[in-house]
Short mmCIF file of all heavy atoms in Angstrom, two decimals:
data_model
loop_
_atom_site.label_atom_id
_atom_site.label_comp_id
_atom_site.label_asym_id
_atom_site.label_seq_id
_atom_site.Cartn_x
_atom_site.Cartn_y
_atom_site.Cartn_z
N PRO A 101 1.60 -16.82 29.30
CA PRO A 101 1.80 -17.23 30.69
C PRO A 101 1.15 -16.29 31.70
O PRO A 101 0.74 -16.74 32.79
CB PRO A 101 3.32 -17.25 30.83
CG PRO A 101 3.85 -17.41 29.45
CD PRO A 101 2.88 -16.70 28.56
N ASP A 102 1.08 -14.99 31.38
CA ASP A 102 0.53 -14.02 32.34
C ASP A 102 -0.87 -13.53 31.94
O ASP A 102 -1.35 -12.51 32.44
CB ASP A 102 1.46 -12.81 32.44
CG ASP A 102 2.83 -13.19 33.00
OD1 ASP A 102 2.89 -14.13 33.83
OD2 ASP A 102 3.82 -12.55 32.62
N ALA A 103 -1.52 -14.27 31.05
CA ALA A 103 -2.85 -13.84 30.59
C ALA A 103 -3.84 -13.74 31.75
O ALA A 103 -4.59 -12.77 31.86
CB ALA A 103 -3.37 -14.81 29.53
N HIS A 104 -3.83 -14.73 32.64
CA HIS A 104 -4.77 -14.72 33.76
C HIS A 104 -4.50 -13.54 34.69
O HIS A 104 -5.42 -12.92 35.22
CB HIS A 104 -4.71 -16.04 34.52
CG HIS A 104 -5.91 -16.29 35.37
ND1 HIS A 104 -6.01 -17.36 36.24
CD2 HIS A 104 -7.09 -15.64 35.48
CE1 HIS A 104 -7.17 -17.33 36.85
NE2 HIS A 104 -7.84 -16.29 36.42
N GLU A 105 -3.22 -13.22 34.86
CA GLU A 105 -2.86 -12.08 35.73
C GLU A 105 -3.40 -10.78 35.15
O GLU A 105 -3.92 -9.93 35.89
CB GLU A 105 -1.35 -12.00 35.90
CG GLU A 105 -0.90 -10.88 36.83
CD GLU A 105 0.60 -10.84 37.04
OE1 GLU A 105 1.28 -11.84 36.73
OE2 GLU A 105 1.09 -9.79 37.51
N LEU A 106 -3.30 -10.59 33.84
CA LEU A 106 -3.83 -9.37 33.23
C LEU A 106 -5.34 -9.30 33.36
O LEU A 106 -5.89 -8.24 33.69
CB LEU A 106 -3.43 -9.32 31.75
CG LEU A 106 -3.99 -8.12 30.97
CD1 LEU A 106 -3.46 -6.80 31.53
CD2 LEU A 106 -3.65 -8.24 29.48
N ILE A 107 -6.02 -10.41 33.12
CA ILE A 107 -7.47 -10.44 33.24
C ILE A 107 -7.89 -10.08 34.66
O ILE A 107 -8.81 -9.27 34.88
CB ILE A 107 -8.01 -11.83 32.86
CG1 ILE A 107 -7.76 -12.14 31.38
CG2 ILE A 107 -9.50 -11.95 33.18
CD1 ILE A 107 -8.49 -11.24 30.42
N ARG A 109 -6.19 -8.36 36.80
CA ARG A 109 -5.78 -6.98 37.07
C ARG A 109 -6.82 -5.98 36.59
O ARG A 109 -6.99 -4.92 37.20
CB ARG A 109 -4.44 -6.71 36.38
CG ARG A 109 -3.93 -5.28 36.50
CD ARG A 109 -2.64 -5.08 35.72
NE ARG A 109 -1.53 -5.87 36.25
CZ ARG A 109 -0.29 -5.84 35.75
NH1 ARG A 109 -0.01 -5.07 34.71
NH2 ARG A 109 0.67 -6.58 36.28
N ASN A 163 -2.13 -1.67 29.89
CA ASN A 163 -2.00 -2.19 31.25
C ASN A 163 -1.25 -3.51 31.31
O ASN A 163 -1.28 -4.19 32.35
CB ASN A 163 -3.40 -2.37 31.86
CG ASN A 163 -4.04 -1.06 32.29
OD1 ASN A 163 -3.76 -0.56 33.37
ND2 ASN A 163 -4.87 -0.51 31.43
N ALA A 164 -0.58 -3.88 30.22
CA ALA A 164 0.09 -5.17 30.17
C ALA A 164 1.61 -5.07 30.31
O ALA A 164 2.32 -6.05 30.08
CB ALA A 164 -0.25 -5.86 28.85
N ASP A 165 2.11 -3.90 30.70
CA ASP A 165 3.56 -3.74 30.85
C ASP A 165 4.12 -4.76 31.82
O ASP A 165 3.59 -4.97 32.92
CB ASP A 165 3.89 -2.33 31.34
CG ASP A 165 3.65 -1.27 30.28
OD1 ASP A 165 3.47 -1.65 29.12
OD2 ASP A 165 3.64 -0.07 30.63
N GLY A 166 5.23 -5.38 31.42
CA GLY A 166 5.91 -6.33 32.29
C GLY A 166 5.31 -7.72 32.29
O GLY A 166 5.82 -8.60 33.00
N LEU A 167 4.27 -7.94 31.51
CA LEU A 167 3.61 -9.24 31.49
C LEU A 167 3.91 -9.98 30.18
O LEU A 167 4.00 -9.36 29.12
CB LEU A 167 2.09 -9.09 31.64
CG LEU A 167 1.58 -8.44 32.93
CD1 LEU A 167 0.06 -8.39 32.92
CD2 LEU A 167 2.07 -9.21 34.16
N GLN A 168 4.03 -11.29 30.28
CA GLN A 168 4.20 -12.13 29.09
C GLN A 168 2.80 -12.48 28.57
O GLN A 168 2.19 -13.45 29.02
CB GLN A 168 4.98 -13.39 29.42
CG GLN A 168 6.41 -13.15 29.87
CD GLN A 168 7.14 -14.46 30.11
OE1 GLN A 168 7.21 -15.31 29.23
NE2 GLN A 168 7.68 -14.62 31.31
N VAL A 169 2.32 -11.67 27.67
CA VAL A 169 0.95 -11.83 27.20
C VAL A 169 0.84 -11.31 25.77
O VAL A 169 1.51 -10.34 25.40
CB VAL A 169 -0.03 -11.09 28.14
CG1 VAL A 169 0.22 -9.60 28.14
CG2 VAL A 169 -1.48 -11.39 27.79
N GLU A 170 0.01 -11.96 24.99
CA GLU A 170 -0.30 -11.52 23.63
C GLU A 170 -1.76 -11.10 23.58
O GLU A 170 -2.65 -11.84 24.04
CB GLU A 170 -0.06 -12.65 22.64
CG GLU A 170 -0.43 -12.30 21.20
CD GLU A 170 -0.37 -13.49 20.25
OE1 GLU A 170 0.07 -14.57 20.69
OE2 GLU A 170 -0.78 -13.33 19.08
#
Side-chain angles (χ1 to χ4, degrees):
D102 296 328
H104 199 186
E105 182 178 343
L106 177 62
I107 295 296
R109 176 184 295 182
N163 284 277
D165 289 347
L167 299 181
Q168 296 183 56
V169 63
E170 177 188 354

